[in-house]
Amino acid sequence: MSESLVVCDVAEDLVEKLRKFRFRKETNNAAIIMKIDKDKRLVVLDEELEGISPDELKDELPERQPRYQHDDGRVSYPLCFIFSSPVGCKPEQQMMYAGSKNKLVQTAELTKVFEIRNTEDLTEEWLREKLGFFH
């Protein structure tokens, strides 16, 4: 049922960027932050970050708007997807992001998917704990 409902598609250039990100050779932590272009009904690139820790990443996320994070640290962390849906954001935004999450996860072929409601929860310890499930 969730596959039949697609609120927003994923921009083609973002799909290509995610493919390249998956196979990047760099060994530093990196993140791709994605957002929804409400008018185009597309998940698009918001920002790319290199050499960023999970603690620094939380400072880059809006406190009242959802975002998708694609986090990759080849040395310490495998590729993972973090869905940020903060308490206090508009219900319309929450529905658009939640309704588009499965399409994005499927398009990017992600297996490690996590959700946070408070950006302060995004710490290295939290991420290590979540990833510990996959070891």
Side-chain angles (χ1 to χ4, degrees):
M1 182 165 168
S2 63
E3 291 179 352
S4 63
L5 173 66
V6 176
V7 176
C8 298
D9 269 320
V10 182
E12 284 301 315
D13 60 333
L14 179 58
V15 172
E16 184 58 30
K17 185 165 289 295
L18 291 171
R19 272 193 203 105
K20 288 180 181 176
F21 190 79
R22 175 183 293 277
F23 298 110
R24 66 193 284 274
K25 302 285 187 228
E26 293 83 358
T27 57
N28 64 335
N29 291 340
I32 290 179
I33 300 176
M34 297 162 271
K35 65 179 182 180
I36 289 181
D37 182 323
K38 193 170 142 184
D39 297 330
K40 295 179 182 176
R41 294 186 106 45
L42 278 177
V43 179
V44 297
L45 176 68
D46 184 25
E47 192 173 3
E48 275 187 272
L49 304 165
E50 290 282 334
I52 189 164
S53 73
D55 292 317
E56 294 167 324
L57 179 60
K58 72 181 172 193
D59 295 332
E60 297 295 324
L61 300 175
E63 289 183 22
R64 299 248 185 256
Q65 294 179 333
R67 285 294 185 270
Y68 303 115
Q69 294 113 244
H70 208 49
D71 203 6
D72 181 17
R74 300 284 180 191
V75 175
S76 302
Y77 314 111
L79 183 66
C80 64
F81 176 78
I82 302 168
F83 175 51
S84 167
S85 181
V87 175
C89 67
K90 296 177 183 175
E92 177 187 3
Q93 285 183 319
Q94 284 182 332
M95 290 176 63
M96 286 185 79
Y97 277 80
S100 303
K101 182 176 91 170
N102 287 344
K103 173 73 173 176
L104 179 57
V105 167
Q106 188 177 36
T107 300
E109 300 175 6
L110 301 168
T111 57
K112 295 167 184 70
V113 179
F114 311 120
E115 184 171 340
I116 59 170
R117 297 284 290 161
N118 180 350
T119 55
E120 290 301 311
D121 293 341
L122 181 58
T123 63
E124 188 163 340
E125 181 182 330
W126 175 87
L127 188 55
R128 285 183 187 273
E129 182 182 308
K130 292 290 187 186
L131 290 171
F133 175 78
F134 293 95
H135 290 6

